[in-house]
Amino acid sequence: MSADPIHYKSIIEISELFRRGELLPSKVTEVMLGRIAKLDQEFHGYALVLAERAMAQAKRCDAELAKGVWRGPLHGVPIGLKDLCYTSFAPTAGGTTIHARFVPSFNATIVDRLEHAGAVTLGKLKMTEGAYTSHHPDDQAPLNPWGVDYWVGSSSSGSGVATSAGLCFGSIGSDTGGSIRFPSATCGLTGIKPTWGRVSRHGVFPLADSLDHVGPMCRSAADAAAMLGVIAGADVNDPTALQAPVPNYLAGIGDGVRGLRIGVDRSYAQDGIDSQVVAALLEAERTLADLGADIREVKFPAYEKLVSMWIPMCSIETAEAHLETYPSRKSEYGPDLAQLIEQGRSISGVEIAQIHHERLKFCGSLAALFGDIDLLLIPTMPVPIPTLTKMGEYGADPNVLLSILRFTAVFDFSGSPTITLPNGMAADGLPLSMQLVGPHLSEDMLARAGYAFQSVTDWHTRRALGE
């Protein structure tokens, strides 16, 4: 058992303490709510804290566990929900002002699954407006606990902040261009972006339906696997949810990586990339090789054109998602989301066809690559965590923004699963990050590889806040 204080223990650890009767969910929930009250006024991870409801849930978990009822590894564990997950018991604003008072009549499928598994919902976590790149001007953006002057990623910003600062044990994020992976990278977390359709999007406010993925953000690969095992699976309310059975992601998580073929394209992963990012990636490659992985040189498919098409593709689908409120309530939108929607409303059918064809070609080439390897090793971002000032400069330069998307957006187009892992520390003392990418429905292999890497490294145990 780790020496971490309660709020930094893993889901797996805290769950076992609950199961053995050595700790009560109500006591832990009380600790977490106290910590939120103390720290979240500084970091702003939560849009809404549901203290009374969370305590009632936790006490029910106490009673169930006392009777020998154990619902699984999330039973009694306090978590946070990104505020695009519909909740019938609280407003779902989606980072907007338009929907600030919107209380859905039903829960998102993933919310029902988490609560049925015994998870305690501490509250709704802040996010960028409509899950695009920036927060609404009237909203206080979350601040990175590793350094308040540094970028916290978008759009699952509150999920990254709350999980990193020990204000929940795990959280739900969503990823359309990198928004599970960027906040995981900037906050020193482990995040799984599942295969598109592996997790139901029923009751999840969309940014761009064909690009949106929903997944867990946690402090370890095992914790992310535990959460994914609860939320994944077919859903009668979401016809795009995959029908494939959900394996027990924890069952074989300790089987190691011996014999796994891990591909590396040195041009894609290293050319034009910051030297600190490259050094950490090379060290991770050596670690995986020492664990028995078979490192293979590969050629990644042409990706530049597809990356340049991400903003147009996102804009088209975002415009469709906001038809009920845009342009009729245009004045209530922040400038960045409004600009994206305007762009989407102006794109021609020919341009849409070009994006569709480029996407199909890339997906076919990537599938062929995964015929020769099991996983692909790449950075999460081309640079260490930028400052907020630097990100403002990036936002004004479309070419730099596309560089940031180099390792993320293509896998939203392809729907490929990835796991994001901390793999070093930069000179400024902030975490560095990498990704392992797999073929569709390889989340079990990704969790196993992440767990193996974290079994011999301690990057995932570094904490932004020492207390």
Side-chain angles (χ1 to χ4, degrees):
M1 196 65 64
S2 78
D4 280 333
I6 284 177
H7 52 267
Y8 279 142
K9 288 192 181 298
S10 72
I11 289 174
I12 302 301
E13 287 178 306
I14 211 82
S15 173
E16 183 62 15
L17 291 173
F18 291 158
R19 194 179 66 83
R20 295 204 306 254
E22 297 177 21
L23 202 56
L24 290 175
S26 60
K27 295 300 182 186
V28 173
T29 299
E30 197 171 30
V31 167
M32 300 304 280
L33 290 170
R35 188 169 171 82
I36 292 168
K38 175 185 175 185
L39 294 175
D40 202 51
Q41 58 189 338
E42 178 180 356
F43 297 112
H44 310 288
Y46 279 85
L48 178 67
V49 179
L50 301 167
E52 187 175 330
R53 185 176 185 275
M55 283 306 302
Q57 283 183 294
K59 288 174 181 176
R60 283 197 299 272
C61 291
D62 289 353
E64 289 177 340
L65 290 161
K67 295 175 184 176
V69 176
W70 188 67
R71 295 176 181 265
L74 296 190
H75 197 172
V77 176
I79 63 163
L81 299 173
K82 185 174 180 177
D83 196 27
L84 46 54
C85 301
Y86 279 24
T87 47
S88 62
F89 48 83
T92 300
T96 70
T97 57
I98 289 175
H99 300 295
R101 295 179 180 84
F102 170 56
V103 180
S105 60
F106 62 94
N107 290 333
T109 296
I110 57 172
V111 173
D112 281 339
R113 287 179 177 173
L114 287 164
E115 295 207 333
H116 181 73
V120 173
T121 302
L122 292 171
K124 308 293 289 291
L125 298 165
K126 284 196 173 184
M127 54 180 286
T128 56
E129 185 184 17
Y132 191 46
T133 55
S134 60
H135 293 82
H136 191 280
D138 293 342
D139 189 21
Q140 166 64 57
L143 299 177
N144 195 331
W146 284 90
V148 295
D149 295 326
Y150 286 84
W151 190 46
V152 75
S154 60
S155 63
S156 308
S157 51
S159 300
V161 168
T163 309
S164 180
L167 307 182
C168 61
F169 288 91
S171 57
I172 293 295
S174 67
D175 195 305
T176 306
S179 293
I180 287 172
R181 291 164 289 170
F182 290 144
S184 292
T186 61
C187 293
L189 301 177
T190 300
I192 294 179
K193 180 189 83 67
T195 306
W196 188 83
R198 175 78 285 190
V199 175
S200 169
R201 289 175 294 110
H202 174 66
V204 176
F205 195 94
L207 173 60
D209 267 318
S210 80
L211 299 170
D212 291 349
H213 303 64
V214 180
M217 296 170 60
C218 299
R219 293 192 290 265
S220 71
D223 285 1
M227 284 193 75
L228 181 62
V230 167
I231 62 176
D235 178 13
V236 294
N237 293 312
D238 179 1
T240 69
L242 300 176
Q243 297 296 312
V246 179
N248 181 342
Y249 296 115
L250 291 173
I253 200 167
D255 289 349
V257 296
R258 185 163 300 280
L260 280 188
R261 302 166 299 168
I262 297 180
V264 177
D265 180 334
R266 305 209 181 276
S267 174
Y268 176 53
Q270 298 176 23
D271 288 357
I273 306 305
D274 184 273
S275 61
Q276 295 181 86
V277 174
V278 172
L281 193 72
L282 290 172
E283 181 59 31
E285 180 186 323
R286 286 189 286 271
T287 298
L288 291 165
D290 289 344
L291 289 167
D294 176 10
I295 307 297
R296 299 190 175 190
E297 303 268 352
V298 297
K299 177 64 177 173
F300 192 69
Y303 66 92
E304 294 90 345
K305 187 175 181 181
L306 189 63
V307 171
S308 74
M309 291 173 163
W310 181 83
I311 293 175
M313 185 67 194
C314 186
S315 74
I316 297 161
E317 297 197 4
T318 304
E320 188 275 333
H322 288 260
L323 283 173
E324 288 187 13
T325 53
Y326 195 99
S328 62
R329 300 176 67 177
K330 178 179 177 179
S331 64
E332 297 173 67
Y333 278 73
D336 292 343
L337 185 57
Q339 182 181 20
L340 181 74
I341 293 172
E342 289 287 355
Q343 180 176 348
R345 291 169 66 87
S346 70
I347 289 177
S348 71
V350 170
E351 290 175 278
I352 295 170
Q354 290 173 329
I355 298 170
H356 181 61
H357 294 158
E358 191 65 27
R359 183 179 192 173
L360 288 174
K361 287 189 291 184
F362 176 82
C363 290
S365 298
L366 185 63
L369 175 64
F370 281 121
D372 298 324
I373 58 172
D374 299 304
L375 300 174
L376 180 72
L377 175 64
I378 58 171
T380 308
M381 302 194 303
V383 292
I385 304 169
T387 63
L388 293 172
T389 301
K390 180 62 71 175
M391 277 308 297
E393 296 170 6
Y394 286 170
D397 186 340
N399 292 322
V400 179
L401 177 60
L402 293 176
S403 172
I404 291 286
L405 294 171
R406 171 174 175 167
F407 299 117
T408 57
V410 290
F411 302 111
D412 288 303
F413 272 118
S414 67
S416 307
T418 83
I419 189 168
T420 301
L421 305 162
N423 69 331
M425 301 294 284
D428 57 13
L430 273 66
L432 296 166
S433 179
M434 70 180 191
Q435 289 181 90
L436 289 165
V437 186
H440 285 203
L441 295 175
S442 62
E443 290 86 357
D444 54 344
M445 196 189 321
L446 290 166
R448 177 159 55 102
Y451 182 83
F453 180 76
Q454 292 181 342
S455 296
V456 295
T457 61
D458 69 352
W459 305 117
H460 65 294
T461 69
R462 309 292 178 95
R463 304 293 179 230
L465 304 177
E467 40 57 77

